[in-house]
């Protein structure tokens, strides 16, 4: 038990609040901690798991998607889940990118149009 980490030690190592660790535990993202005198204690391997969760979040994946990635079995099955999620995320980005391009075009056109009021501008620019 001496090599187990307190919730505070884990939080400090990965840059999270202890409340986030408790939430991740409740959400099934990390294994429930062992208890020593009523206090949570984690195996040091939890740091790697939390690093993966942070990596996923930085790429726009939800916690539910991260949970799906962390599910067993690992290895090839995990790699397949990763590929599926990446393909879904890339498709989402393509949709968002198209929307951004459209918004930029309409905003540019509406900014410098000769419309007297916003209703006229909206009518004209909706076809841009």
């Amino acid at each position: 038990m001496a090599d187990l980490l307190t919730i505070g030690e884990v939080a400090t190592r990965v840059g999270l609040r202890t409340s986030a660790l408790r939430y991740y535990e409740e959400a099934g993202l990390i294994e429930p901690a062992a208890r020593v005198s009523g206090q949570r204690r984690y195996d040091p391997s939890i740091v790697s798991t939390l690093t993966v969760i942070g990596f996923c979040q930085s790429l726009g994946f939800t916690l539910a998607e991260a949970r799906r990635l962390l599910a067993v079995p690992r290895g090839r099955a995990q790699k397949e889940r990763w590929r599926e999620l990446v393909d879904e995320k890339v498709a989402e980005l393509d949709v968002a990118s198209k929307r951004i391009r459209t918004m930029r075009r309409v905003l540019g056109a509406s900014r410098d149009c000769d419309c007297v009021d916003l209703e006229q501008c909206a009518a004209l620019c909706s076809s841009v």
Side-chain angles (χ1 to χ4, degrees):
M1 290 277 188
D3 61 339
L4 296 179
L5 304 171
T6 67
I7 192 170
E9 290 170 329
V10 173
T12 298
R13 286 187 186 192
V14 296
L16 291 172
R17 293 183 172 165
T18 57
S19 59
L21 296 176
R22 287 188 289 272
Y23 178 77
Y24 288 176
E25 212 177 283
E26 290 172 20
L29 285 157
I30 60 175
E31 292 292 319
R35 301 287 180 146
V36 175
S37 300
Q39 296 180 335
R40 285 176 165 84
R41 299 281 195 255
Y42 294 92
D43 186 275
S45 65
I46 196 73
V47 172
S48 296
T49 302
L50 292 166
T51 300
V52 169
I53 293 168
F55 172 71
C56 290
Q57 286 184 299
S58 73
L59 294 172
F61 290 100
T62 64
L63 291 179
E65 291 167 329
R67 184 182 322 104
R68 191 170 142 201
L69 285 168
L70 293 169
V72 292
R74 300 281 174 92
R76 289 181 184 207
Q78 185 180 42
K79 182 65 175 182
E80 281 304 310
R81 289 190 303 268
W82 175 249
R83 286 182 176 149
E84 289 170 13
L85 285 169
V86 166
D87 290 345
E88 291 170 14
K89 193 59 63 184
V90 168
E92 286 176 28
L93 289 172
D94 289 343
V95 168
S97 177
K98 181 179 178 185
R99 182 171 180 256
I100 289 168
R101 285 192 308 274
T102 299
M103 289 172 64
R104 186 180 298 275
R105 189 173 61 250
V106 171
L107 288 169
S110 67
R111 179 183 179 277
D112 298 324
C113 71
D114 294 326
C115 299
V116 177
D117 60 37
L118 196 53
E119 287 80 10
Q120 182 185 17
C121 188
L124 289 173
C125 287
S126 63
S127 63
V128 173

